[in-house]
Amino acid sequence: MKNFVKPGEMIEHTLAGTACVSGDGRLIGDLFGVAVKDGAIGDAVNFALEGVYNLPKVTADVIAIGVKLYWDDTAKKITTTVGANKIVGSAHSVAGNGVTTVDVRLNGVSLA
């Protein structure tokens, strides 16, 4: 197909403001991705937009499989709280109160 550009599982993003380590979640405009490698400010880093990733969560949140999950960009954690937070995917594991991470199936789509 002559108009195919590339698969859409990843997006390359030049880091501005803060560095990242492999596995960090990050909002890129209205997309949410997970860094595939460490990067310093100014580096171009690929972020995965699809797949299941174990991400930090708000410790007090109680999460059941299949629940919609959001990214708290201030705390840099997954939460069940909608508010101003952007939807990033759904729970792929159970995570109770006191648990610090949860498996998240990323939406792979724009969050707007």
Side-chain angles (χ1 to χ4, degrees):
M1 177 175 3
K2 66 181 181 178
N3 60 343
F4 179 78
V5 177
K6 64 181 180 177
E9 299 92 15
M10 304 264 182
I11 188 168
E12 185 177 83
H13 174 67
T14 301
L15 300 176
T18 58
C20 73
V21 296
S22 177
D24 278 356
R26 181 160 301 196
L27 288 176
I28 303 164
D30 281 331
L31 294 173
F32 178 82
V34 177
V36 300
K37 69 175 190 171
D38 297 352
I41 295 170
D43 288 350
V45 174
N46 282 321
F47 285 80
L49 303 175
E50 298 177 356
V52 178
Y53 296 88
N54 185 262
L55 296 171
K57 77 173 211 31
V58 173
T59 306
D61 283 359
V62 176
I63 299 173
I65 291 176
V67 170
K68 290 179 185 174
L69 297 174
Y70 304 84
W71 183 250
D72 179 335
D73 202 41
T74 301
K76 306 296 186 213
K77 294 182 179 184
I78 293 294
T79 183
T80 56
T81 303
V82 181
N85 300 321
K86 301 277 189 175
I87 189 165
V88 297
S90 57
H92 209 260
S93 67
V94 172
N97 186 356
V99 176
T100 59
T101 64
V102 63
D103 293 344
V104 180
R105 181 183 180 277
L106 301 183
N107 280 349
V109 297
S110 177
L111 308 169

